[in-house]
Amino acid sequence: MGVLEWVKRWVTTTNHKDIGILYMVTSIYFFLVAGVLALVFRTQLAFPEEEILTGSEFNQAVTIHGLLMLLWFMSPFEIGLANYIMPLQIGARDLAFPRLNALSYWLYLASGLLLVAGFFVPGGAADMGWTLYAPQNVLLTGKGTVLAAVAIILLTASVTVGTVNMVVTIARMRAPGMTWSRVPMFTWGVLFSVLMMWLAFPPLAVGAAALLLDKLLGTAFLTSVEGGALLWDHLFWFFGHPEVYVLLLPALGAMADIVSVFARRQLYARRFLLIALFAATALSYLVWMHHMFITGTSLNVRKIFSVTTALISIPFEMATLALIMTLYKGRIVYRAPLLYTIAAIFFFILGGSTGVFQAAIILDRAFRGTYWVVAHFRYIMVGAVTLGLLAALYYWWPKITGRLYNERLAKIQLILLFIGINLLYLPQFLLIDMPRRYYTYPAEWKLLNQVSTLGSYIVGLGFLLGAYILYKSLRHGEKAPPNPWNAWGIEWTTPSPPPRHNYEGQPVVRSDGRIEYVSEASLAGSGVHIPDGGHSYTFHEHWSGNPALIGLALFITGLGIALSKALMLAGLALLIVAVARWVRDDYYSKFHEEEPGYMETWPFTGIDKNRLGMWVFVTSEMFLFGSLISVALFIMSRSLAWTPGYIHHDPYLGLLNTIILFSGTLFYSLGYYTYKNGARIKPLMLLMGTFFTGLLFLFIKSIEWTRLIAEGYTLSSGLQAQLYYVLTGVHAAHVLIGIIATLYLIFKMALDKNVSLTTLIMLGIYWGIVEIVWTILFPLFYLI
Amino acid sequence: MGREPVLYVSGWTALVVTAFLEVFLIMNGIVRNTLAFTISIAMIQSTIIAYIYQHLKYEESSVKMLPLTSFLMLLVLVSAAITSVLACTPYLG
């Protein structure tokens, strides 16, 4: 294969295993960048009064290190692993939406490159710590923060698309017999993780958008003295705390699978463990304000969050016990993946127990902003999550590459990492009186800092050795059999590495747990189409360069937002081309694929994958709007200058627009009904009604905006005006997308192309969200 | 006319009537707590839209759980964010 062909193959692939590898390789690249930054600032901290880095450079290094490690390394590495392994574990041939999966990856890559590009723009990268606290994020920094905000918004788009894909795949594409009670723990971990991402990321994106608007248009969402900083805290930590568990649960799931395989026994109390993880998922949304104990929040609210924070440790204690009890009396085989898992459990106990203190308001006040918190968090993130992920990598490496690796070296690597991590972070517990993010310090903290820096070098050495082990395995490793660990699970029944279509035939899990392969024809009954001259499976390989093109367009747009209007416009033009190409593929149903009727789908049996995907997406979108509205309510509740809406806006014009919007949906619904009953002209006319009411809505809105601006009610008229323009602007953009989608379907129907009822229902779901949001925006801005 | 179109038209009528009512009551100063009132109206309208026009009425309970979960979590975010600073809230106080 020539270089060009090789590049084309990786740029246009949509296969879940390829995308998984792309995710993992890219996340390792970002890990390297973040790791080098860590070594640089740890070198600075090895000596008191050191000036290798200036204060600003130090701040940039720690900020980008933190953001990269959490958002562009750990989570994407897990997504990569999930991409590769999860479909294999549940007996699916790919993810539910392969092209969206590719889009998810390219958005992720574009976002990460934008963040790192911050180092090369005027003013440098974001430099206020990975929490990007307000108002420093607006007031103190340069273009790098703009890039960071754009990167976060793009990453949220990537995560949202990825979440839809993972949820639908796990819900509707499990092999026959793969009931929920048999779903492997790693897949469960992935499911819990994406369920947290589903609602945690939208508030972060809203925060990043507020930051962007403050930086670029001079709004004051995050700088306002009426609670701008608190607003950022709420939005950031509503995402930030679940994010810890987003990272932890897939690693924990993989560790559970590994422990069970190498202890040669079933996972202890598996059902209780699942209940515990479910509880942790739900509770993760209810603990964010413990990060705000030292802000001016009400004491009663702090008490509630103190209790929920203490509560959330219970599920994880149960999880730890389940892992230990599985090992107890097991016939343990001490292979590298298990040893890494045991080390990760050890670090999890240390990191977890030092975190419980933060639940107590009084202790939190003492620890906040010190190296104690740094150490606690790193024990979880580096000790538990990263070692857990290394365990997972060493466990599935033979499956992914088809090669074995040198286990002796892997064990030496573990020893290095174990010593290094403890040397690196234990002294930081003792540095409890040293504030974090100080770029230099007096001599009294020298010894502990030096030990810590020594530990960081050893950790770095450990990872270098890891890179060598994997490189050597790829080049000279012994060929791996399908099941090198004598493990059970569908992924171990297929060759290493698996073929493009994953399995010959369809895996089926029998009631006694045996895995068998049967032909799809035998499952589907007569009439099943078996392509490729009688294979026992159906598999369509899809290739598309459009996801990469969209990623490139958004990367250029993002750079343009920070640097140059011309570049931004070029990016947007390219985006329009890319989206048009995407839609053209849809028009010709290039990626359309029927769902096999024999997969496990409970509890989503009565809904197809597209509609389910739309619901997952739309509810996330609803949360995005909800977060925007919560920003408005928060500001309104704090504002001394909030005046009744009818002073600025004409409520009767707003009412007219409301009725117009409602009427559009009525037209759509009647169109759907007539189309369902076989009519062809009536639905077209009715959908035209939806199209024109949408246009009319935007026309009236534009009249309102023009009049308001002419009267001097602009973005500089205060927070109330800024909220009005931003929220109604975002809403109008959604109306415009609805109009375009409606027009597209009208054309498709007019040209006699197949438009399924599901597609029409999906349009209705979309318009429904646009309306629901308006039912809140209208009174909020016109009446209150 | 079948049952579905009747449902769609009835839903639309309910939405329009509640919208008129909302504007009329507020603009005539009849409602005292406008925020609570408008949020209640918005919830009623949202339920009608989701149930009828987004076809949630015809979906199984597991699908209904998705928007419900999102809504509940939103309630947590909004109420916690607002009440966390209620002590110093001039407008809602």
Side-chain angles (χ1 to χ4, degrees), chain A residues 298 603 606 611 637 676 765, chain B residues 4 53-54 59-60 62 84 89:
Chain A
S298 114
R611 217 160 82 228
S637 71
K676 193 170 72 172
I765 295 171
Chain B
E4 265 184 76
Y53 301 110
Q54 293 186 304
E59 302 287 9
E60 50 203 349
S62 51
S84 69
T89 299

Side-chain angles (χ1 to χ4, degrees), chain A residues 308-320:
Chain A
T308 54
T309 304
L311 274 179
I312 204 167
S313 62
I314 296 172
F316 292 107
E317 284 152 15
M318 287 171 69
T320 310

Side-chain angles (χ1 to χ4, degrees), chain B residues 40-84:
Chain B
S40 309
I41 293 284
M43 280 169 69
I44 293 168
Q45 291 176 332
S46 302
T47 309
I48 293 171
I49 293 163
Y51 199 66
I52 298 174
Y53 301 110
Q54 293 186 304
H55 297 97
L56 212 52
K57 172 178 158 59
Y58 305 105
E59 302 287 9
E60 50 203 349
S61 334
S62 51
V63 179
K64 289 184 179 116
M65 287 299 291
L66 295 173
L68 192 67
T69 309
S70 177
F71 173 73
L72 288 177
M73 287 301 170
L74 204 56
L75 219 56
V76 170
L77 174 63
V78 173
S79 51
I82 293 177
T83 55
S84 69

